Amino acid sequence: MATKDYYEVLGVLKGASDVDIKKAFRKLAMKYHPDRHKGDKRAEARFKEINEAYAVLKDPQKRKQYDMFGSEEFHQRFSQEDIFRNFDMDSIFKDMGFGAGNIFSEIFGNRNRSQRGSPFGRQGGNLGFNSEFMGGGFQPEQRGRPTKGTDLDYNLFITLEDVAFGSEKQVVYRAGREKKEVKVKIPLGILDGQKLRLAGKGLRNIPGAPPGDLFFNIQVSEHPIFKREGKDLFIEKEIKFSEAVLGSSLEIPTLFGTKKIKVPPGAHGNAKMRLKELGLPAFKGKGKGDLYVTLIISVPKKLTMAEKKLVRDLAKAGL
């Protein structure tokens, strides 16, 4: 299920609370539990999906990284052993009235369950979940190393144009009493609220110990024309009543230059027209979003006597 969305698997929204996630999991786990579907491979596969989704979304650090990277990249970085680590299935299902027995080893593979609650056991030492958003995934704990220094956070404001074309920012910041300067590369399609990490650019608390990291909290400034939803952009364009009735040709501003569109005769207010691939690039993905133009029919507040007569004549004609 490498490309499946964990929120969709559990049937909850991305901003769902921990309580809602647990409630959705319990309902689905009860429905698809193997005790109720002996020999049903589809139910077994669904049961595994549900447990995998819950193993990630119930853990604050795993969920944070899943939200940051998205499903595809999350699965590239983290193995199923990582996903199920510290997921105590036995306790969860005993609370629900089910015994674990050999069910989980049959479904998830007959492996050493030396790590309590994890069907994948321990392989390659004691692994810990890496809470650094842009780090290299799960790394072995290293013992005996000097304590790492303090991480620093910096709000970095960028424009929608930076998101569309990428850019490089020169940033001056303070690490304690020291003034430092770094270059930050802004990747295409980055989302508002995402973090970028520069390793070793934070504070060094102890001489000889490794410094902390520098995190940039990305803040995308509001654009005067476009509204953003993911990789799609939205814009409103006023047209006259006559243009809506008879049709017209409009020039639409985009991030990539002006484009002409044709408004068909009989267009209604709030109609949306799509300009394909004139949105933003996908973050660490392929393709671009679209630009949607919402047509707003303008109504004049003041009319001359001649214009009022024309409107009355239209009203008499049933228009």
Side-chain angles (χ1 to χ4, degrees):
M1 59 168 296
T3 59
K4 285 200 175 182
D5 183 276
Y6 286 148
Y7 293 100
E8 290 181 6
V9 169
L10 295 184
V12 297
L13 297 175
K14 189 173 182 180
S17 68
D18 293 340
V19 173
D20 289 338
I21 287 172
K22 183 177 181 179
K23 189 184 299 182
F25 164 73
R26 289 177 65 89
K27 181 179 178 181
L28 291 169
M30 292 284 284
K31 181 178 179 180
Y32 291 99
H33 194 281
D35 282 356
R36 295 184 170 182
H37 301 274
K38 298 292 185 181
D40 187 336
K41 294 299 181 183
R42 288 189 177 181
E44 190 175 286
R46 184 80 173 100
F47 183 72
K48 183 176 179 181
E49 288 179 352
I50 293 161
N51 278 275
E52 185 173 327
Y54 187 56
V56 172
L57 298 185
K58 75 180 283 292
D59 186 295
Q61 290 296 338
K62 293 178 187 176
R63 183 178 180 182
K64 191 178 290 185
Q65 296 209 32
Y66 180 77
D67 291 344
M68 178 65 64
F69 294 123
S71 180
E72 186 174 347
E73 188 175 347
F74 182 87
H75 283 85
Q76 291 173 0
R77 288 173 174 264
F78 309 130
S79 68
Q80 284 208 326
E81 181 187 358
D82 298 322
I83 288 169
F84 281 100
R85 181 167 291 106
N86 299 324
F87 184 57
D88 192 346
M89 287 184 177
D90 292 350
S91 298
I92 290 170
F93 285 99
K94 281 179 183 177
D95 290 343
M96 295 168 64
F98 291 102
N102 295 321
I103 289 173
F104 301 119
S105 62
E106 291 171 4
I107 293 177
F108 295 101
N110 187 20
R111 308 189 185 192
N112 176 17
R113 296 183 67 184
S114 60
Q115 181 175 352
R116 173 171 173 77
S118 171
F120 296 93
R122 292 187 183 179
Q123 298 177 12
N126 182 20
L127 300 178
F129 198 94
N130 182 353
S131 63
E132 296 167 358
F133 294 141
M134 304 302 284
F138 300 88
Q139 302 292 340
E141 290 180 1
Q142 300 195 27
R143 304 181 186 279
R145 291 184 60 189
T147 304
K148 180 184 171 185
T150 304
D151 294 335
L152 298 176
D153 283 282
Y154 183 96
N155 290 329
L156 182 58
F157 291 88
I158 65 172
T159 66
L160 207 57
E161 286 78 9
D162 293 326
V163 177
F165 304 106
S167 65
E168 191 172 77
K169 303 289 185 183
Q170 197 84 11
V171 177
V172 177
Y173 70 102
R174 284 197 171 276
R177 297 179 180 178
E178 191 177 354
K179 189 175 181 180
K180 294 186 176 182
E181 188 171 348
V182 293
K183 287 184 179 179
V184 186
K185 188 174 182 180
I186 307 300
L188 293 171
I190 193 166
L191 298 171
D192 184 65
Q194 282 189 289
K195 288 179 180 279
L196 297 177
R197 178 175 71 97
L198 289 184
K201 298 298 182 180
L203 287 174
R204 190 190 305 274
N205 297 338
I206 304 172
D213 301 328
L214 174 62
F215 288 88
F216 290 98
N217 305 311
I218 298 300
Q219 308 287 316
V220 182
S221 301
E222 187 173 336
H223 198 276
I225 299 177
F226 304 106
K227 299 294 181 185
R228 178 189 188 182
E229 290 185 15
K231 60 181 181 179
D232 292 329
L233 295 176
F234 295 82
I235 188 174
E236 292 184 350
K237 182 69 175 179
E238 280 197 356
I239 62 171
K240 298 175 183 177
F241 174 73
S242 58
E243 292 176 320
V245 173
L246 302 175
S248 63
S249 179
L250 301 176
E251 288 193 347
I252 304 297
T254 78
L255 290 174
F256 310 95
T258 303
K259 299 292 179 182
K260 282 190 176 182
I261 64 170
K262 288 186 178 180
V263 177
H268 58 84
N270 293 321
K272 279 190 173 64
M273 303 189 71
R274 176 189 175 202
L275 300 183
K276 194 174 180 181
E277 295 189 345
L278 286 177
L280 298 170
F283 178 65
K284 291 195 173 182
K286 295 180 180 179
K288 285 184 178 180
D290 302 322
L291 172 63
Y292 291 89
V293 182
T294 301
L295 300 178
I296 306 296
I297 300 176
S298 63
V299 178
K301 293 182 178 179
K302 293 183 179 180
L303 296 173
T304 64
M305 293 299 293
E307 288 169 339
K308 287 181 180 179
K309 183 179 182 307
L310 288 172
V311 175
R312 292 193 187 101
D313 290 341
L314 288 173
K316 289 178 183 178
L319 295 177

